[in-house]
Amino acid sequence: MAEQAERVIPLTEPPAEDGEKGPSKSALKKAAKEKEKAEKAAKRQAAEEAQKKESESNDISKNDYGELPMDGAWPSAFPSKDEVPRVLLTDLEEYFGDASKMDVEGGPHIVFRASVENARSQSAKLAFLVFSRGGASIQAVVAASDDLSRQMVKFCSSVPAESYVLVHGLVKKPMEPVKSTTIQNLEVHVKKLFVEGKAEAQLPMQVADAERPIPIEGEEETVDGRPIVQLNTRLNNRVIDLRAKHNQAIFAIKDGVVALFEEFLRSKKFRGIQTPRLLGSASEGGANVFKVEYFATQAFLAQSPQLYKQMLVAARFERVFEVGPVFRAENSNTARHLTEFTGLDMEMEFEEDYHEVVSLLEELMLFIFAGLKDRYKRETDLVRSIYHVDEFKLPAKGAVPRLPFSEGIKMLRNAGEEINDFDDLSTPQEKRLGALVLERYGSDFYVLDEFPLAIRPFYTMPTAATQAKYNPEKPNEGYSNSYDFFMRGQEIMSGAQRIHNAAFLVKRMKEHETPVDPQGEGLKDYVNAFKAGAPKHAGGGIGLERIVMLWLGLPNVRLASLFPRDPSRLSP
């Protein structure tokens, strides 16, 4: 019996020295399977790498595509400038407008940079891409041949949308016009392609999303079953959003407004100026200023260059203008307000009457409108094809509707509005008056003149009739030599004749609806400027983004600001 007991084979491994049991059969089996699986994966990977190396060694195009190094070195495979011209897509049609340039065997060679709108594989031997740059787009073909490998076709078809690429190709006539691109009668047959800036495969939004209108309150938020990307999403991803063709057009127009503004004023002998944006005090009064730390004290961001413009006129600059940022700490979350916008400001002496300045400003605005219509028609039409709006109606030169404020009040009352003689206009009332003016005068542009004195700044000159009827008990009663300009029923500019007499200025500062101290920080130097003698002068400040918004019919002023700032947005 003892011998039999000694020959018994244990069914499990003997216990470990510490008394614990060893691995079970199932655990050993699982480990063996994992080992086998890992060995197979390693063999498969080794086989794939070997196949890839063999494929690369046999790839006739291996030097003609890929990703450029970070230092941006020019690919050695690319021809020199002397051999092949560098072109811009925007110039391509004009460059090859001369048919003789197409009479090159195989097609003329070009080199260009562009972004990839999309890339798709038609087969293992054929891929189509769309390249775009500067508002122009063109179809490209990548076809396998004795000189171009399937590997290159595969690479090109897999380039992520929005990647920036360097391309060498042949320009040819397509079999039929390509309707999906702006360049329809030419296409590029790619010979070499390198990715200079690769985009991630999954972006937060696509450029195609940005090329549709933002949803307007009360309207559907889908188009053709696809959700419309909201304004906040677009602004949070502004770099992608700004690539949209109509956004490129918006900011070409915005730059055009500035150029036209400067061109006109320089032709009228105005001088460009640059005034401070950091102020030692909230010099224009009110609470709508931003405070900033300034070493051991605090400073304020300028609400406008107003006081400095006037001081420069007093300094014998005679006619001045400025284009620069303006800051307003107004907690207004509307579609037409920003906390930082671009101001187009001007100030000038006049000879007899402040209406000389009003007339010049009307001429300025008509010059800008005519310039936009003539020089930026393509961009305007592109934007308006997305944000549908009626053509901006302009009066004949010299016939801008110019209404006294009292007449505007009368028109509103006749239309059923309840409003007092000296009330400021609300936004809905401004729009209603704009519609009434359009109906009566056929103009989307008009001027409202002689605003109530009580609702204008302390430096505004009262009318002669108001001064003649001056009542010390009611010093702010009556009208002023001030004016606002309107587009489509919304204010774009505020201006006035300024007080140029130091003693009268001090008086008005003290008795204004919101009194200010003439000896206060930021105002003392301003008042002293007029003690040295100053001419009669007037001017105005125009909101650049407002002009762009209303000319194009944009639903929100933020669309006219590259990186808008409002009460809830400080980035990007």
Side-chain angles (χ1 to χ4, degrees):
M1 292 292 291
E3 290 178 6
Q4 283 183 334
E6 287 177 3
R7 282 194 234 116
V8 173
I9 300 173
L11 296 177
T12 60
E13 292 185 7
E17 290 183 6
D18 60 3
E20 293 183 0
K21 291 186 178 181
S24 65
K25 252 186 175 183
S26 60
L28 291 171
K29 189 174 181 181
K30 183 177 179 181
K33 283 185 177 180
E34 289 295 332
K35 182 180 178 183
E36 183 181 0
K37 185 178 178 181
E39 288 173 349
K40 286 182 179 179
K43 287 180 181 179
R44 185 167 58 251
Q45 185 176 355
E48 287 175 357
E49 288 178 356
Q51 185 179 4
K52 183 179 179 182
K53 286 180 180 179
E54 183 181 356
S55 176
E56 288 175 353
S57 65
N58 296 326
D59 184 357
I60 54 174
S61 302
K62 62 184 177 182
N63 296 319
D64 295 338
Y65 66 94
E67 292 187 34
L68 286 180
M70 289 285 288
D71 62 7
W74 189 262
S76 58
F78 266 59
S80 68
K81 290 181 180 180
D82 296 331
E83 296 174 286
V84 175
R86 314 295 197 247
V87 298
L88 294 173
L89 289 187
T90 48
D91 300 335
L92 207 59
E93 284 184 298
E94 183 180 351
Y95 187 81
F96 289 105
D98 178 2
S100 65
K101 291 182 179 178
M102 296 295 293
D103 297 336
V104 178
E105 187 175 353
H109 289 229
I110 59 169
V111 170
F112 62 92
R113 283 184 168 89
S115 61
V116 176
E117 273 195 19
N118 60 67
R120 58 186 175 88
S121 173
Q122 191 76 2
S123 69
K125 294 184 177 182
L126 182 64
F128 290 95
L129 294 87
V130 172
F131 297 124
S132 64
R133 186 176 179 183
S137 58
I138 191 169
Q139 177 176 273
V141 180
V142 189
S145 65
D146 292 342
D147 302 318
L148 196 149
S149 67
R150 291 190 180 192
Q151 294 95 318
M152 181 171 171
V153 174
K154 183 178 179 181
F155 174 84
C156 292
S157 66
S158 64
V159 175
E162 296 308 311
S163 296
Y164 205 65
V165 293
L166 177 62
V167 182
H168 170 214
L170 308 178
V171 179
K172 297 193 177 187
K173 294 279 187 183
M175 295 180 65
E176 57 185 40
V178 183
K179 296 181 179 179
S180 59
T181 57
T182 64
I183 301 172
Q184 300 186 350
N185 297 313
L186 299 172
E187 66 181 10
V188 175
H189 287 237
V190 174
K191 293 302 174 186
K192 305 175 191 292
L193 183 148
F194 285 86
V195 177
E196 189 168 276
K198 187 175 182 180
E200 294 182 358
Q202 294 296 324
L203 295 173
M205 60 178 283
Q206 296 297 319
V207 172
D209 297 326
E211 292 183 335
R212 290 178 290 159
I214 62 171
I216 299 173
E217 188 175 350
E219 291 188 356
E220 292 290 329
E221 295 192 0
T222 60
V223 174
D224 300 327
R226 296 175 60 192
I228 296 178
V229 177
Q230 300 289 327
L231 179 60
N232 273 341
T233 301
R234 299 183 190 209
L235 296 181
N236 289 340
N237 299 280
R238 192 60 162 155
V239 170
I240 299 174
D241 184 49
L242 287 172
R243 293 178 180 179
K245 293 182 182 68
H246 76 283
N247 279 333
Q248 297 280 324
I250 286 171
F251 292 100
I253 289 168
K254 187 176 182 180
D255 179 59
V257 173
V258 174
L260 291 163
F261 174 80
E262 293 185 343
E263 179 184 336
F264 177 85
L265 292 180
R266 290 187 194 282
S267 75
K268 301 295 183 181
K269 303 189 184 309
F270 279 73
R271 186 188 306 183
I273 57 171
Q274 300 79 38
T275 59
R277 290 300 180 267
L278 282 171
L279 308 180
S281 66
S283 54
E284 290 189 51
N288 299 327
V289 290
F290 290 108
K291 298 177 182 179
V292 295
E293 291 184 6
Y294 193 74
F295 302 106
T297 182
Q298 67 178 10
F300 300 85
L301 297 181
Q303 292 172 279
S304 80
Q306 179 57 47
L307 306 189
Y308 289 101
K309 287 190 302 176
Q310 292 183 249
M311 291 165 74
L312 287 168
V313 170
R316 305 294 188 259
F317 275 50
E318 299 180 3
R319 294 184 169 201
V320 296
F321 75 86
E322 180 168 15
V323 178
V326 175
F327 301 92
R328 298 283 170 85
E330 297 175 1
N331 193 14
S332 298
N333 294 280
T334 73
R336 67 176 199 157
H337 284 93
L338 294 168
T339 53
E340 178 184 352
F341 62 90
T342 304
L344 307 178
D345 278 271
M346 58 80 69
E347 202 78 18
M348 62 177 281
E349 293 183 24
F350 61 83
E351 292 292 328
E352 298 178 12
D353 184 84
Y354 78 97
H355 287 112
E356 296 167 24
V357 183
V358 178
S359 295
L360 184 139
L361 283 166
E362 289 172 352
E363 190 181 347
L364 163 66
M365 293 309 303
L366 292 177
F367 179 82
I368 289 173
F369 297 146
L372 292 178
K373 194 172 183 179
D374 295 341
R375 305 183 201 179
Y376 295 88
K377 184 180 186 307
R378 182 179 67 84
E379 291 86 352
T380 296
D381 290 346
L382 172 59
V383 179
R384 288 182 182 170
S385 71
I386 295 174
Y387 294 103
H388 304 289
V389 66
D390 293 336
E391 185 75 19
F392 191 82
K393 294 181 176 59
L394 288 171
K397 186 175 181 181
V400 177
R402 189 189 297 175
L403 311 176
F405 186 86
S406 56
E407 176 64 21
I409 294 295
K410 188 183 297 184
M411 289 174 67
L412 286 170
R413 282 179 183 157
N414 291 340
E417 290 285 331
E418 293 185 6
I419 185 169
N420 295 321
D421 287 349
F422 299 112
D423 286 351
D424 201 359
L425 300 182
S426 67
T427 298
Q429 287 168 341
E430 283 184 358
K431 291 181 179 180
R432 184 75 185 279
L433 184 56
L436 294 171
V437 170
L438 177 61
E439 183 181 351
R440 178 182 293 186
Y441 298 99
S443 177
D444 278 314
F445 173 55
Y446 78 98
V447 179
L448 205 55
D449 192 18
E450 294 190 1
F451 273 71
L453 183 62
I455 62 175
R456 303 304 272 200
F458 62 80
Y459 44 73
T460 307
M461 181 71 76
T463 64
T466 296
Q467 293 184 55
K469 296 177 182 179
Y470 176 75
N471 179 358
E473 299 296 321
K474 297 179 180 179
N476 295 297
E477 195 172 72
Y479 295 96
S480 63
N481 292 347
S482 62
Y483 39 87
D484 280 2
F485 283 31
F486 293 83
M487 289 175 64
R488 299 189 195 273
Q490 297 193 55
E491 178 212 329
I492 59 160
M493 192 208 78
S494 183
Q497 178 183 352
R498 329 298 185 177
I499 297 171
H500 63 282
N501 178 277
F504 188 51
L505 178 60
V506 169
K507 183 174 183 295
R508 285 297 304 149
M509 293 169 84
K510 291 179 178 179
E511 66 185 15
H512 191 260
E513 286 284 312
T514 308
V516 292
D517 181 6
Q519 293 301 309
E521 279 295 320
L523 290 173
K524 181 170 60 176
D525 294 331
Y526 168 70
V527 173
N528 287 342
F530 301 106
K531 290 180 179 179
K536 295 178 296 184
H537 60 282
I542 306 169
L544 173 59
E545 288 79 5
R546 288 264 183 99
I547 292 178
V548 176
M549 175 182 75
L550 296 167
W551 173 258
L552 295 172
L554 302 177
N556 196 302
V557 72
R558 289 159 185 78
L559 297 172
S561 176
L562 286 169
F563 300 100
R565 295 292 179 259
D566 60 36
S568 60
R569 178 172 291 279
L570 272 173
S571 64

